[in-house]
Amino acid sequence: MRALPKTLALLLCVNSYYVLGADVQSETTPQLANTYINDAILPPMEPWHGDSESLLMAADDEWATPFERDGLKTSPSYVETFAWLDKLIAQTDKLKKVSLGKSPQGRDIWMIIASDNGAKTPESLAANNKPTVMVQAGIHAGEIDGKDAGMMLLRDIVLGNKGALLEQANLLFVPIFSVDGHERSSQFNRVNQRGPVDMGWRTTANNLNLNRDYAKADTLEMQHMLIAINQWQPDLYIDVHVTDGIDYQYDVTFGYNLAQGLSPASFRWLDKQYRPFVEASLQSQGHQPGPLVFAMDNRDMSKGLSLWNASPRFSNGYGDARHLPTILIENHSLKPFKQRVLGTYVMLEATLKLVGEQATTLKSAIKQDSYRYSERLTLTWQSEQQKAGWDFKGIDYTLEDSVISGEQVVRWSGKPKLYKNLPVIGNTLADIKVNRPLTYYIPPQWTEVIGRLELHGIRMTRLEQSKSISLSQYQFSAPQFARQDYEGRQRVTAEVSSKVVTTQLPAGTVKIDTRQPLGDLAILLLEPQSPDSLFQWGFFNPIFTRTEYIEHYAVEPMAAKMLAEDPSLQAEFDKALQDTAFASDAQARLRWFYERSPYYDRAYLAYPVLRN
């Protein structure tokens, strides 16, 4: 029998959650494996120890979290998580637990409210006049570091020496956002990630990605979250993830939307106040923080790094649009679970300290952005090389020809390497811009669209009686539908033109004033050239369906009558016939007359949302 390949043999050796203990351990006592099941196929890593390890509680302590109790390699199930948290909540009046709503499979999406005054409603939380930080873990349920870090931090606030954090700030903590995905747990869910032993699934039970759903808000989970954001009104929103992609030295990377975005005052606060303080806190505890890192080419670091200005389908892009300072944490997947959890703990603690100390400046930045009302808004961005490059703390690598794939594959060495002054390419060059309309009008029959806008918290009124008014209306041509569904939607783009129409708006028509705090968000959702507009997500696709026709035997005599009565139309038709393709297409010639007749469907290819 042939010997097994070394990699496969090692995988089989650790293909169990547990291995038997050595030496003095009883053969019946299970001990956690020293490696994760996928260690054998992942790049090598250097051992890590940092001062943040002092945050860990002994495994046999009554108040050790399941993560601490089980060897710093596991994360508890949904039931275990909330059993432990319920026990903690019972020890104090500073923690309350509320459900944001049920998941499609019937699980509660729980949120823990941590405050000095024991607030359990949005009103009682607002009454303490402290800034509020909202932390969300498990939007991708396998990327669960924030849950275990938050459990430790809450424990130390209630029973340890971190209680002062609530003297100047409140914490809203969602341990598991994608609760159904969390319970689709397996040791085989994220091949490129070092722990925990069992990891949840990336998408929901409906196979939808919650971090592509902020703008369209199709999922029940996201609808609950948007309602919670509107009700609880946090001042800072943190979304905890774990990376995919390249190897590097940083263990905690984080970012937010850029100065070119819709919340420049919030960007300045995050970049000049938040980042230096949090990075210093992480470094002092033995962690290596860095900016969000995406390589332009995972096999050629010399091509540089990507700077990301996210659109509103993502948490940080959505926060930028609604003027809620939002931080996207991306812990490095190739660092062990223990290191990532401790780094997240340090970051969350530092966040509460800073927000408490700088509540006034943070709230001032939010207010500046919310009432800025730019006359022109950028809908799309093009990439450009940035003026300054980055020194990047990477990992050395070689390229090898792969007999498996037939292409070159990266082999990371595990050895640190400083890449000096790498080029940085970011989507920071403004492309399509629009003038801010005073108002939008949406006819009442577009109930799904109106419902989504209400869900986002956008203020609107309704016409109590019908009204004749001249407004601007977009007309579409050359629609292009995506070749396959994306996130459960048939996306569409089209060429856009505009004309002024006089129309009779029915009673019940929704009117949206863009001079409101969420006016910029309304514009990104309603301007059809915006990539995350409800139009491009397919909410208006019925306008591309023709429902009335005219028979050829009726068009031909009608066309003859039209030409006889209008010499200018005859001249226009003669000019059109100069196009040989048109002239040889009987269907096109008859349609040409139909489109110019009073029988034509004027709603076809016309955007039902009108602008003032």
Side-chain angles (χ1 to χ4, degrees):
M1 179 177 176
R2 290 172 54 190
L4 290 171
K6 180 181 178 182
T7 298
L8 180 57
L10 184 53
L11 274 172
L12 291 174
C13 287
V14 295
N15 193 22
S16 172
Y17 289 19
Y18 301 100
V19 294
L20 293 177
D23 300 331
V24 300
Q25 296 292 336
S26 164
E27 290 186 359
T28 61
T29 304
Q31 299 294 315
L32 283 174
N34 292 323
T35 60
Y36 295 106
I37 190 170
N38 53 344
D39 266 343
I41 60 175
L42 294 181
M45 65 174 180
E46 295 294 319
W48 174 86
H49 293 287
D51 288 349
S52 62
E53 289 176 303
S54 65
L55 299 167
L56 293 167
M57 186 166 278
D60 59 356
D61 192 287
E62 177 189 3
W63 287 104
T65 66
F67 159 73
E68 295 166 312
R69 185 186 65 222
D70 295 334
L72 312 178
K73 290 179 178 289
T74 69
S75 188
S77 70
Y78 175 90
V79 170
E80 292 168 334
T81 296
F82 292 106
W84 189 93
L85 283 167
D86 286 341
K87 179 183 172 184
L88 181 66
I89 292 167
Q91 309 303 308
T92 179
D93 60 359
K94 293 183 178 181
L95 302 184
K96 306 295 180 185
K97 187 177 80 168
V98 298
S99 174
L100 304 186
K102 298 279 190 182
S103 72
Q105 290 185 340
R107 296 181 179 91
D108 282 291
I109 302 172
W110 293 110
M111 181 173 75
I112 312 302
I113 309 148
S115 68
D116 243 1
N117 66 329
K120 58 183 178 181
T121 65
E123 295 75 19
S124 57
L125 191 72
N128 71 25
N129 294 313
K130 297 175 185 177
T132 296
V133 176
M134 187 174 195
V135 177
Q136 159 191 293
I139 189 171
H140 296 151
E143 305 167 26
I144 202 60
D145 306 4
K147 177 187 71 178
D148 296 278
M151 291 169 72
M152 289 175 60
L153 181 59
L154 286 178
R155 184 260 322 278
D156 294 343
I157 287 173
V158 172
L159 302 175
N161 61 356
K162 308 293 185 182
L165 293 173
L166 297 185
E167 291 177 3
Q168 293 181 287
N170 307 310
L171 173 63
L172 302 175
F173 176 51
V174 180
I176 311 169
F177 183 10
S178 183
V179 289
D180 296 341
H182 186 276
E183 294 308 280
R184 185 180 171 183
S185 181
S186 168
Q187 58 185 320
F188 298 109
N189 277 355
R190 283 180 62 80
V191 66
N192 58 293
Q193 183 175 306
R194 278 195 166 96
V197 171
D198 281 324
M199 292 177 264
W201 194 250
R202 181 176 178 82
T203 52
T204 69
N206 299 104
N207 203 35
L208 295 174
N209 188 334
L210 289 177
N211 203 32
R212 306 295 184 272
D213 196 41
Y214 279 88
K216 62 184 176 66
D218 278 336
T219 61
L220 194 57
E221 295 95 332
M222 185 57 69
Q223 292 171 13
H224 294 323
M225 181 59 68
L226 296 181
I227 291 171
I229 290 172
N230 285 312
Q231 289 179 338
W232 293 89
Q233 289 293 310
D235 300 288
L236 187 69
Y237 186 40
I238 295 182
D239 182 19
V240 186
H241 290 249
V242 181
T243 64
D244 302 296
I246 61 175
D247 199 0
Y248 45 75
Q249 299 172 46
Y250 311 105
D251 56 355
V252 180
T253 70
F254 63 96
Y256 29 81
N257 266 33
L258 307 179
Q260 294 86 349
L262 295 168
S263 299
S266 295
F267 168 82
R268 289 191 295 271
W269 186 88
L270 290 167
D271 214 47
K272 303 303 181 185
Q273 306 299 325
Y274 183 85
R275 180 174 288 280
F277 183 84
V278 169
E279 287 192 339
S281 298
L282 285 162
Q283 288 168 345
S284 72
Q285 293 291 303
H287 295 274
Q288 183 64 259
L292 286 180
V293 175
F294 306 99
M296 296 301 296
D297 184 339
N298 287 357
R299 291 179 294 182
D300 186 355
M301 292 306 301
S302 68
K303 291 183 180 178
L305 303 171
S306 171
L307 185 66
W308 188 35
N309 199 28
S311 75
R313 75 185 61 174
F314 303 99
S315 61
N316 47 322
Y318 182 73
D320 183 59
R322 70 173 292 143
H323 314 305
L324 168 58
T326 299
I327 296 159
L328 175 66
I329 297 178
E330 287 279 5
N331 293 326
H332 189 209
S333 62
L334 295 177
K335 303 298 186 289
F337 187 49
K338 178 188 81 170
Q339 183 177 353
R340 302 196 319 260
V341 169
L342 292 177
T344 307
Y345 180 116
V346 173
M347 187 165 179
L348 298 184
E349 180 186 0
T351 297
L352 286 172
K353 286 180 180 176
L354 183 70
V355 169
E357 293 169 1
Q358 294 211 6
T360 301
T361 55
L362 173 59
K363 287 178 178 288
S364 175
I366 295 170
K367 192 169 184 179
Q368 288 179 54
D369 293 329
S370 298
Y371 296 95
R372 185 163 165 254
Y373 303 148
S374 298
E375 290 304 311
R376 283 178 65 76
L377 272 77
T378 301
L379 302 180
T380 62
W381 300 88
Q382 293 183 355
S383 293
E384 60 180 348
Q385 183 165 335
Q386 307 299 296
K387 292 180 181 179
W390 287 352
D391 289 344
F392 173 61
K393 296 179 180 179
I395 298 293
D396 202 4
Y397 67 93
T398 57
L399 293 175
E400 296 180 9
D401 293 329
S402 169
V403 297
I404 304 298
S405 67
E407 63 178 1
Q408 287 192 314
V409 63
V410 171
R411 302 296 186 198
W412 302 102
S413 71
K415 302 301 181 183
K417 178 178 179 178
L418 179 64
Y419 296 83
K420 296 285 290 184
N421 197 33
L422 286 181
V424 180
I425 293 87
N427 54 332
T428 55
L429 180 64
D431 184 18
I432 299 174
K433 294 184 174 184
V434 293
N435 292 329
R436 175 184 292 273
L438 294 175
T439 50
Y440 290 104
Y441 291 90
I442 308 173
Q445 65 268 26
W446 293 96
T447 53
E448 187 180 29
V449 170
I450 295 167
R452 288 293 196 273
L453 298 172
E454 288 177 322
L455 191 68
H456 285 290
I458 294 166
R459 295 199 302 257
M460 58 186 72
T461 58
R462 288 186 183 261
L463 300 184
E464 295 183 359
Q465 55 188 14
S466 64
K467 178 180 182 180
S468 179
I469 187 172
S470 292
L471 298 167
S472 174
Q473 185 175 39
Y474 290 120
Q475 306 289 319
F476 298 125
S477 60
Q480 295 291 321
F481 292 90
R483 295 181 65 181
Q484 63 184 30
D485 284 1
Y486 176 64
E487 290 299 315
R489 286 275 174 181
Q490 183 72 29
R491 286 182 58 82
V492 62
T493 58
E495 295 179 11
V496 176
S497 61
S498 180
K499 67 178 182 180
V500 175
V501 298
T502 299
T503 187
Q504 189 75 27
L505 297 175
T509 293
V510 163
K511 177 182 177 182
I512 295 174
D513 188 340
T514 67
R515 296 181 69 83
Q516 59 169 297
L518 296 183
D520 290 349
L521 177 60
I523 291 170
L524 293 186
L525 293 174
L526 292 175
E527 286 295 324
Q529 291 172 289
S530 168
D532 274 320
S533 63
L534 299 181
F535 167 78
Q536 290 202 22
W537 276 115
F539 283 74
F540 292 97
N541 282 2
I543 68 173
F544 296 107
T545 301
R546 277 182 159 167
T547 57
E548 291 289 354
Y549 304 87
I550 188 169
E551 300 294 345
H552 291 183
Y553 62 75
V555 177
E556 201 279 335
M558 179 188 72
K561 185 173 184 292
M562 291 168 66
L563 291 173
E565 293 175 350
D566 188 351
S568 64
L569 187 67
Q570 178 70 67
E572 187 181 351
F573 184 54
D574 291 341
K575 184 177 180 181
L577 290 173
Q578 294 175 14
D579 181 339
T580 55
F582 174 79
S584 61
D585 188 341
Q587 295 275 6
R589 291 169 64 156
L590 292 174
R591 187 167 60 248
W592 191 91
F593 286 98
Y594 174 46
E595 290 173 355
R596 286 157 179 76
S597 77
Y599 297 98
Y600 186 68
D601 179 9
R602 300 300 165 192
Y604 178 57
L605 299 181
Y607 191 39
V609 179
L610 295 103
R611 308 165 88 244
N612 185 9

